[in-house]
Amino acid sequence: MWGCGALLGARAGLRLCRELFLAWDRGWSAAAPYSASTEPSRVRALVYGHHGDPAKVVELKNLELAAVGGSDVHVKMLAAPINPSDINMIQGNYGLLPKLPAVGGNEGVGQVVAVGSSVTGVKPGDWVIPASAGLGTWQTEAVFSEEALISIPRDLPLQSAATLSVNPCTAYRMLMDFEQLQPGDCVIQNASNSGVGQAVIQIAAALGLRTVNVVRDRPDLQKLTDRLKSLGAEHVLTEEELRKHEMKNFFKDMPPPRLALNCVGGKSATELLRHLAPGGTMVTYGGMAKQPVIASVSQLIFKDLKLRGFWLSQWKKDHSPAQFKELIVTLCGLISRGQLTAPACSEVPLQDYQRALEASVQPFVSSKQILTMC
């Protein structure tokens, strides 16, 4: 059934994949606490042996499935997105680099097939996501240690589950950890159409926060604006509009932002700083423009602005696995209540990975590429 996504179209293929997994799951014997299947499995994975252009160094290969040990979990992957951090990791310019050769992908959702005899936290049929980066999710199935996985509710939308462990976690922590924001306070961000940006809009709305969302000008600007506002964005502005003198009057009608979230750098970050309230904080979590953040001396002295950085991998190192699981539970609650949805996604069968990789680095693409494993 490896070609079902290509035959039926990505979306129809993904629905069929889910139906197949649910049908397979209903066949499990409730009496068996664990299973260690001896049937040979054909594992297909996107592997890179050296760093470079993802479209050139990533290859689709057949791998041998490892044996399931006592503390191991055999997982069939369902879907896995392509994030900017995945691209940076393959290029070799990310803060965390796995030993090569490596399977790509830091995020995704899978279903447990079998567990080792000492596994107690998950069981066959459960849905699981990675507990940390570097797991290698761009493969049809794999054997992971139990501690590398977090169980999530199986009634979550598949796209939301597949994109749960990176962008929404980053958005939530930045909104909660740097300023003590109250309902009615304002947050300003650039790259608002990114996965993190869309999560910020929705989580902020759930918390009663107002948002000013900055995007690059583009041919389909109105379509993007309408989508972001449908997620809860109060204002959507282009970077050019943010630089206009009239913006002084704009902030007379709403409180100046106490928190700015920067994923771009360069002039875009400078403009965010210019509109921050005195004593406010700008948190940088990305550098899409590949330009430094420049803050004037007057902003630091007379406005006492604070410049901070955020990296989810470092947050995980500084906090316990239980605290990360608590974060996931909180986000699952928002999803279940309809307050947090997946970013705009394009589903691509694994065998069409070249198309997905190329699309993921194109400018003005507001749709996240999600690899489906059926």
Side-chain angles (χ1 to χ4, degrees), residues 206-245:
L207 297 172
L209 303 174
R210 307 174 70 177
T211 57
V212 177
N213 303 279
V214 184
V215 299
R216 289 181 294 176
D217 197 7
R218 63 195 66 210
D220 61 345
L221 179 62
Q222 189 58 53
K223 181 179 178 181
L224 175 60
T225 298
D226 292 343
R227 167 162 173 76
L228 296 184
K229 287 191 173 182
S230 73
L231 297 178
E234 184 169 352
H235 298 284
V236 179
L237 305 171
T238 65
E239 293 186 340
E240 291 74 18
E241 289 174 325
L242 192 66
R243 297 189 187 107
K244 291 182 178 179
H245 182 73

Side-chain angles (χ1 to χ4, degrees), residues 155-167:
D155 59 356
L156 295 181
L158 192 61
Q159 289 185 356
S160 294
T163 58
L164 175 59
S165 63
V166 177
N167 292 336

Side-chain angles (χ1 to χ4, degrees), residues 266-284:
K267 292 181 179 179
S268 180
T270 301
E271 287 301 314
L272 295 188
L273 283 170
R274 190 162 68 89
H275 295 291
L276 263 184
T281 301
M282 183 174 78
V283 181
T284 293

Side-chain angles (χ1 to χ4, degrees), residues 307-327:
L307 304 181
R308 299 290 302 276
F310 182 82
W311 184 30
L312 183 63
S313 294
Q314 187 62 49
W315 185 91
K316 290 180 183 178
K317 291 178 183 177
D318 296 338
H319 295 77
S320 68
Q323 288 173 301
F324 182 59
K325 289 181 181 179
E326 182 180 350
L327 171 58

